[in-house]
Amino acid sequence: MIKVGIFFGGQSREREISFAGGRTVYDNLNKELFEAIPIFVDSTGKLVLLDWHFIYKGTIRDFFPPAQHQPNTDFQIYRESLGELSPSQEDELLKSIGQPLAMEELPKLIDFAFLALHGPYGEDGNIQGLLEWLHIPYTGSGILPSAIGIDKSVQKGLMENAGFPRPNNGMLKRSAWLNPNVDKQALMDKMVAELGLPIVIKAPHQGSSIGITILENADLTAFEKAVNRAFFLEEIDLNRWQNIPNEERKAFIRSLTDLREGIGLPVSIGEKVIYHPHELLEYLNALQNEESVLLENLEGEEEILFEAFIKGQEFSCIVVEGTDGEPIALPPTQIIKIKDFFDYRSKYLPGMSRKVTPIGLPTEQINAIRSACETLYKSLFFDVYARLDGFITDEGEIFLNDPNTTSGMLPSSFFFHQAAEIGLNPSQFLSYLIRTSLVARLRTGKNNFQLRKLLNQLDSSITALNKHTAEKKKVAVIMGGFSSERHISVESGRNIYEKLSSSGKYEALPIFLSGDEDEHILHVIPVNIMLKDNADDIKAKIDEKGEKHPVLLEIAEKAKGITSTYAGNPLTKPERVTYEELAKIVDEVFIALHGRPGEDGSVQKYLDQYKLPYNGSGVESSQKTINKYETNEILHQNGILVAKHRLILKDDWAANRSVIVSEIEDNFDYPIIAKPADDGCSSGVKKIHNREELEAFATLSFRNTSTLSEDEAKFLQIQENEEFPAKSYILIEEMIQKGNASHFLEITGGLITSYNEQGELQYEMFEPSEALATGDVLSLEEKFLAGEGQNITPPRYSFNKEEQVRISTEVKKVLEKTARLLNVEGYCRTDAFVRIWDDGKVETIIIEINSLPGMTPATAIFHQCALNGYKPYDFIDAILDFGEQRVAKN
């Protein structure tokens, strides 16, 4: 088996995307072909053989630097904020997360390097050169094309020389901008005159749209801000600083030091270097007798780019090498943005943009884009694969910009999205990239004997693998649904599908559920449809029922040499099945649905009818836990603390609105929490501050149309892309607060069940996670998206170790009692609040139980099961095994 070292994290501003992408690679590498070895690169360039438990943290900041190595502060930090450390301190720090590695140790540890690093030090030829020195083959482009791919200034000249059209552009040096005699108004006027408006202002060595601004108007203040952003400079008006409250100052420092949107740390102020956000806050607070101060990031740009804005359709195209070594442009994806600029959040947050593949243009224009991308790929000497972005104008002119030698590798990225269009699932595509990279390294004439040996070993393993696919257990992964949680369901379903597909035990079959409560419509779907942006896009693709796009047919034919080796004969169009037919083609089912249907027992009823094993609780328990009101009542009657609550029915509200409002105000104090009584994932949950907000919430919840009233939506601050479900009843709860307790925190705790030797149900409780929300309630992104929220596992009950254990034991007892009272089986997630008093008293207040918790890559339940020794695949495997045992037992 080939040992593949996955390099992720890194020193760039894109380290969180790299970390999440590295986890995707770690999970999706075929376990029958490769041994995945996680090599974390910290933000100072040190290497660590990472303890696998940390791979499943939501963000790097969740585990590194560890809490015991951080000063007492409420700022989140990266390693560089610890400043200069002695060798022994550095070693102790790295050993807290794994085994520190010297570069020269790598050849004994790995056979091959999979590079999931982004930006400087990852895509610029640095790591590629070191690996070549060590005779370790790696993915993607070599040293020269990597150096070209990272530098937008160099790209610009090479592309112009190769005959590619480029927008009008200009450049500005840092020294010229910081010259005290610079006339900034004249500089802006010159750029506007030469380039027109809007102007794109870029940091030339960054990815993920970091350091980029679109200047819409000739506004000097906006121009200065945009240029400073590209240079990673920040000028602070100290007169204004002295007049804002401390909490606002802290919020500003958090934003300023955010790698995605601010300038980051460390910064210099003249000769002084500041590493930590708290140190920066104190320094600014202490400044006197100065009007302003300039902060400069130590890794800022020396030169920035100005470009004329191109008005047209934006696209992204992955180019891969065919079996003959020639480039094949996969179907370009159209990027449809909610806002004009495809920035960091638009790229990585669900719902902020949409991907349409192939781009909605005539076939001739699509192929013109593909041809241009293939030509540029060859012109810049790229190897193996690349991602090329660009625009096509209304006149059909194609502008390519920012070629990338490494693409983002999140599960729904362009990288996997387009590979799926030729029939490759993520695991198969990664196998293809590794083999193609070995061939590319052979072309360099270095270390060829060892490379051929690895290549022959891989080819033999792939041949053997294709022969025993039929022996695997077939698992239907049901995703989608018709609730407001359908998009998270798709994210969960894809993650389950991908983890099962990379195993040696299971063959996963993606099933999309649509319809309504009266009729569940099931479709077996091809991998390319499964990897569409969201549930609505998947359903639209299923409903088309048309012929495959001619461009997709053409690419599939051209890539047949790839797909025949790695995917066999993949499904090419959706096929409708009944539950009865499903029972004949699969051995078991993983229900990745959330809310209704799925958590309400309706799908389980059908599966029980055909004796199909499945994950999670049975029908009766699911029917209880989906109903938050009934759950609260059962728990309250059995001595479990829950929030004071009140159910409101739609008909009652219509008939007795004023009476109900008065009763609520007599029994509850604002603020209160209003929520659907039969949904989860924070869908439709709002903090209500007054009567007007309560009435607006009820009006929206009890509406008879699918659209929202604009006034009420605005009043409740419902975002443009936020779903708000219509319901026939809603739940009002008191807002649980700290009160007189000395410590107060929100937690989410998981569990898994099994049978003991006597056939009795037993519960294995996980350490919960402490969930930190940036707003009134945890958002969907904070719960499920990598790099967005923070989950601390285990929760910080106490700094005293004995007290931590005692409190944890008490909390888990309440969570287990809750699960037993509700007959939970398989696994679940329970959300709760914990109050702790100075005298040691502990209160655990249950909020809700999710019988089919979210299973996205970044969800907290994976952090928790890791502490009990389960890797995510092992956890999923155990859940499926329990389902089989339950059917056999009954």
Side-chain angles (χ1 to χ4, degrees):
M1 191 172 290
I2 295 174
K3 295 179 180 179
V4 177
I6 302 163
F7 289 72
F8 64 136
Q11 302 175 69
S12 82
R13 296 167 187 275
E14 301 170 80
R15 65 189 68 158
E16 291 290 6
I17 294 304
S18 169
F19 179 71
R23 173 173 54 226
T24 304
V25 176
Y26 182 83
D27 278 343
N28 281 282
L29 278 183
N30 191 303
K31 295 170 181 61
E32 295 181 277
L33 300 176
F34 309 109
E35 179 186 349
I37 297 173
I39 298 176
F40 176 68
V41 184
D42 85 351
S43 50
T44 66
K46 301 294 190 302
L47 305 182
V48 184
L49 176 57
L50 191 66
D51 182 337
W52 68 264
H53 298 84
F54 298 114
I55 295 170
Y56 299 102
K57 297 294 186 181
T59 72
I60 294 170
R61 291 170 300 178
D62 284 351
F63 69 93
F64 191 74
Q68 66 267 28
H69 291 270
Q70 295 187 33
N72 188 17
T73 176
D74 53 359
F75 290 105
Q76 292 185 354
I77 64 169
Y78 288 105
R79 155 66 186 90
E80 58 265 33
S81 285
L82 298 182
E84 299 291 336
L85 299 178
S86 69
S88 61
Q89 289 173 321
E90 188 82 55
D91 192 56
E92 181 188 357
L93 178 70
L94 297 177
K95 282 180 177 176
S96 66
I97 61 169
Q99 176 188 331
L101 294 172
M103 268 287 178
E104 55 268 22
E105 295 179 86
L106 290 175
K108 295 179 182 178
L109 182 67
I110 63 174
D111 304 311
F112 184 90
F114 197 107
L115 300 180
L117 298 167
H118 293 291
Y121 307 105
E123 290 184 75
D124 58 2
N126 280 1
I127 188 73
Q128 290 83 358
L130 284 168
L131 291 168
E132 292 204 8
W133 183 263
L134 296 168
H135 299 293
I136 297 173
Y138 54 85
T139 49
S141 285
I143 299 169
L144 175 61
S146 296
I148 294 170
I150 197 66
D151 194 319
K152 296 178 178 65
S153 302
V154 171
Q155 289 170 13
K156 179 175 71 71
L158 289 173
M159 290 172 71
E160 287 173 352
N161 291 339
F164 286 90
R166 296 282 294 169
N168 293 334
N169 55 80
M171 304 189 75
L172 176 66
K173 292 186 179 297
R174 175 179 170 276
S175 56
W177 178 249
L178 294 180
N179 186 326
N181 298 318
V182 66
D183 186 337
K184 294 179 178 179
Q185 179 70 50
L187 176 61
M188 182 186 72
D189 292 342
K190 178 176 180 290
M191 289 298 172
V192 171
E194 292 179 358
L195 307 180
L197 288 169
I199 298 174
V200 183
I201 303 174
K202 293 182 176 182
H205 295 96
Q206 306 298 323
S208 295
S209 301
I210 291 171
I212 297 181
T213 305
I214 296 178
L215 184 72
E216 301 281 356
N217 303 300
D219 178 277
L220 183 59
T221 301
F223 178 75
E224 289 179 354
K225 185 176 179 181
V227 171
N228 281 340
R229 175 182 167 86
F231 278 124
F232 299 103
L233 306 170
E234 182 77 28
E235 188 168 9
I236 296 176
D237 181 338
L238 292 174
N239 291 323
R240 182 180 178 278
W241 178 263
Q242 300 299 336
N243 292 316
I244 60 175
N246 196 49
E247 283 306 311
E248 192 174 327
R249 293 180 188 180
K250 284 184 177 181
F252 173 79
I253 295 293
R254 288 191 185 96
S255 175
L256 177 72
T257 57
D258 187 318
L259 288 174
R260 303 166 300 179
E261 298 174 358
I263 66 172
L265 288 169
V267 296
S268 65
I269 304 173
E271 295 298 315
K272 182 176 180 58
V273 177
I274 294 178
Y275 294 92
H276 197 282
H278 189 74
E279 182 188 359
L280 179 59
L281 177 66
E282 289 186 332
Y283 180 87
L284 293 175
N285 285 344
L287 282 177
Q288 301 289 335
N289 303 321
E290 294 185 54
E291 291 187 0
S292 66
V293 63
L294 182 69
L295 311 181
E296 303 182 50
N297 186 277
L298 299 193
E299 294 280 345
E301 300 278 356
E302 284 299 309
E303 192 171 43
I304 64 171
L305 281 172
F306 297 87
E307 287 185 348
F309 181 80
I310 303 166
K311 187 173 176 57
Q313 292 187 49
E314 190 169 0
F315 62 82
S316 187
C317 184
I318 302 291
V319 179
V320 299
E321 277 188 27
T323 51
D324 59 359
E326 288 298 305
I328 301 173
L330 298 181
T333 297
Q334 180 180 359
I335 302 158
I336 300 175
K337 308 176 289 293
I338 287 178
K339 54 185 181 180
D340 289 339
F341 177 40
F342 193 46
D343 62 7
Y344 186 99
R345 294 179 66 82
S346 299
K347 285 185 175 181
Y348 302 117
L349 293 188
M352 295 294 284
S353 62
R354 287 183 60 233
K355 305 184 188 83
V356 177
T357 308
I359 186 171
L361 291 169
T363 299
E364 296 76 18
Q365 286 188 310
I366 297 175
N367 281 332
I369 290 172
R370 294 182 55 238
S371 178
C373 290
E374 290 172 354
T375 302
L376 180 58
Y377 178 95
K378 294 177 78 170
S379 298
L380 298 182
F381 313 106
F382 287 166
D383 300 310
V384 187
Y385 79 99
R387 195 193 82 231
L388 307 179
D389 302 333
F391 295 86
I392 182 167
T393 67
D394 292 342
E395 294 73 36
E397 190 171 17
I398 297 166
F399 289 88
L400 298 178
N401 66 316
D402 301 348
N404 289 271
T405 53
T406 298
S407 175
M409 295 182 189
L410 273 70
S412 59
S413 68
F414 296 117
F415 186 68
F416 296 122
H417 187 84
Q418 293 179 20
E421 294 293 355
I422 60 170
L424 296 181
N425 68 33
S427 181
Q428 295 160 348
F429 191 38
L430 294 175
S431 297
Y432 158 75
L433 287 179
I434 290 173
R435 189 192 184 282
T436 307
S437 295
L438 285 171
V439 173
R441 301 291 82 82
L442 268 170
R443 292 197 292 263
T444 67
K446 303 173 189 174
N447 196 32
N448 280 15
F449 177 79
Q450 184 62 27
L451 289 172
R452 286 195 188 97
K453 186 178 175 182
L454 274 177
L455 194 59
N456 291 336
Q457 179 184 341
L458 181 55
D459 285 344
S460 297
S461 299
I462 290 171
T463 301
L465 181 69
N466 291 337
K467 289 180 178 177
H468 68 83
T469 300
E471 302 167 11
K472 296 181 178 182
K473 288 185 180 179
K474 291 182 171 58
V475 181
V477 182
I478 302 181
M479 64 189 83
F482 37 81
S483 78
S484 59
E485 300 170 67
R486 62 195 180 279
H487 304 307
I488 293 300
S489 165
V490 166
E491 292 292 323
S492 291
R494 285 196 283 235
N495 188 42
I496 298 298
Y497 168 86
E498 289 167 4
K499 286 181 171 58
L500 295 179
S501 294
S502 64
S503 76
K505 181 176 179 180
Y506 298 104
E507 179 184 348
L509 197 67
I511 308 291
F512 186 79
L513 187 149
S514 57
D516 54 34
E517 292 184 1
D518 296 325
E519 182 185 23
H520 294 177
I521 299 172
L522 305 177
H523 282 91
V524 184
I525 55 174
V527 65
N528 67 310
I529 292 181
M530 182 191 73
L531 288 179
K532 295 300 177 190
D533 259 15
N534 56 49
D536 294 347
D537 285 355
I538 292 174
K539 185 174 184 306
K541 209 69 185 172
I542 291 171
D543 291 344
E544 278 181 11
K545 297 177 183 176
E547 292 296 319
K548 202 171 179 73
H549 196 289
V551 169
L552 299 182
L553 291 172
E554 179 185 332
I555 297 171
E557 181 62 31
K558 196 172 182 181
K560 190 177 287 184
I562 300 172
T563 51
S564 61
T565 301
Y566 299 93
N569 296 304
L571 184 70
T572 58
K573 61 182 181 179
E575 296 177 358
R576 184 168 177 177
V577 294
T578 63
Y579 281 108
E580 183 178 9
E581 290 167 337
L582 189 64
K584 294 175 182 176
I585 59 175
V586 301
D587 302 305
E588 51 195 312
V589 171
F590 196 103
I591 309 169
L593 300 164
H594 303 310
R596 294 181 186 271
E599 291 191 77
D600 60 353
S602 59
V603 172
Q604 291 85 340
K605 272 186 181 178
Y606 290 109
L607 300 179
D608 283 345
Q609 183 180 341
Y610 297 105
K611 294 184 169 49
L612 264 178
Y614 56 83
N615 57 306
S617 293
V619 175
E620 182 183 351
S621 176
S622 298
Q623 288 174 338
K624 289 177 185 174
T625 54
I626 190 65
N627 188 318
K628 295 182 178 68
Y629 176 76
E630 185 179 351
T631 295
N632 281 347
E633 290 293 292
I634 292 170
L635 296 179
H636 177 66
Q637 290 162 12
N638 286 275
I640 301 287
L641 293 177
V642 296
K644 186 167 68 173
H645 52 276
R646 160 75 189 266
L647 193 69
I648 304 176
L649 304 179
K650 182 176 181 177
D651 291 343
D652 289 348
W653 177 263
N656 303 293
R657 175 175 179 159
S658 59
V659 174
I660 292 171
V661 170
S662 296
E663 288 176 354
I664 289 171
E665 292 182 336
D666 287 343
N667 289 280
F668 294 84
D669 294 324
Y670 292 113
I672 56 177
I673 297 295
K675 61 172 72 168
D678 60 351
D679 264 322
C681 298
S682 299
S683 179
V685 180
K686 290 293 176 184
K687 182 179 178 182
I688 303 298
H689 301 85
N690 50 53
R691 177 182 294 194
E692 290 76 16
E693 289 185 4
L694 173 62
E695 291 181 337
F697 183 91
T699 299
L700 286 179
S701 298
F702 295 146
R703 69 189 188 277
N704 295 316
T705 64
S706 59
T707 57
L708 299 181
S709 160
E710 191 173 328
D711 290 340
E712 274 92 359
K714 196 171 184 180
F715 190 61
L716 289 176
Q717 297 182 325
I718 296 172
Q719 303 300 313
E720 185 178 352
N721 60 326
E722 180 182 349
E723 292 216 9
F724 195 92
K727 295 292 179 180
S728 57
Y729 51 90
I730 58 175
L731 192 63
I732 301 298
E733 290 182 342
E734 66 172 319
M735 183 172 177
I736 306 299
Q737 300 185 72
K738 183 177 181 180
N740 295 322
S742 58
H743 190 37
F744 176 68
L745 61 165
E746 183 174 359
I747 64 164
T748 178
L751 62 83
I752 189 170
T753 67
S754 59
Y755 293 112
N756 62 19
E757 292 180 357
Q758 291 73 42
E760 299 168 331
L761 189 67
Q762 56 187 13
Y763 289 80
E764 181 180 352
M765 307 303 297
F766 299 148
E767 282 290 348
S769 299
E770 178 182 349
L772 303 181
T774 55
D776 293 331
V777 296
L778 279 170
S779 68
L780 286 172
E781 290 86 0
E782 287 173 318
K783 282 188 175 182
F784 301 114
L785 183 69
E788 280 302 301
Q790 189 178 16
N791 291 290
I792 299 171
T793 312
R796 300 169 295 183
Y797 296 126
S798 173
F799 290 109
N800 180 287
K801 288 185 178 179
E802 291 180 358
E803 273 296 280
Q804 174 75 14
V805 172
R806 181 188 71 82
I807 296 167
S808 174
T809 301
E810 285 197 35
V811 171
K812 286 192 287 187
K813 280 182 180 177
V814 175
L815 299 183
E816 180 174 347
K817 182 179 178 181
T818 296
R820 289 186 178 278
L821 284 169
L822 296 166
N823 301 316
V824 167
E825 292 181 326
Y827 66 121
C828 81
R829 188 192 82 229
T830 303
D831 297 338
F833 287 99
V834 177
R835 291 193 189 113
I836 303 164
W837 275 264
D838 286 332
D839 63 3
K841 177 185 173 184
V842 179
E843 283 187 349
T844 303
I845 305 105
I846 303 298
I847 300 301
E848 66 175 88
I849 295 87
N850 294 104
S851 62
L852 294 174
M855 298 287 272
T856 65
T859 190
I861 202 165
F862 288 140
H863 313 173
Q864 298 164 19
C865 69
L867 293 181
N868 284 34
Y870 296 95
K871 291 182 179 179
Y873 167 76
D874 300 327
F875 181 52
I876 295 163
D877 184 39
I879 290 167
L880 287 170
D881 279 349
F882 177 83
E884 286 188 90
Q885 293 169 24
R886 180 171 53 192
V887 169
K889 186 173 182 290
N890 295 330

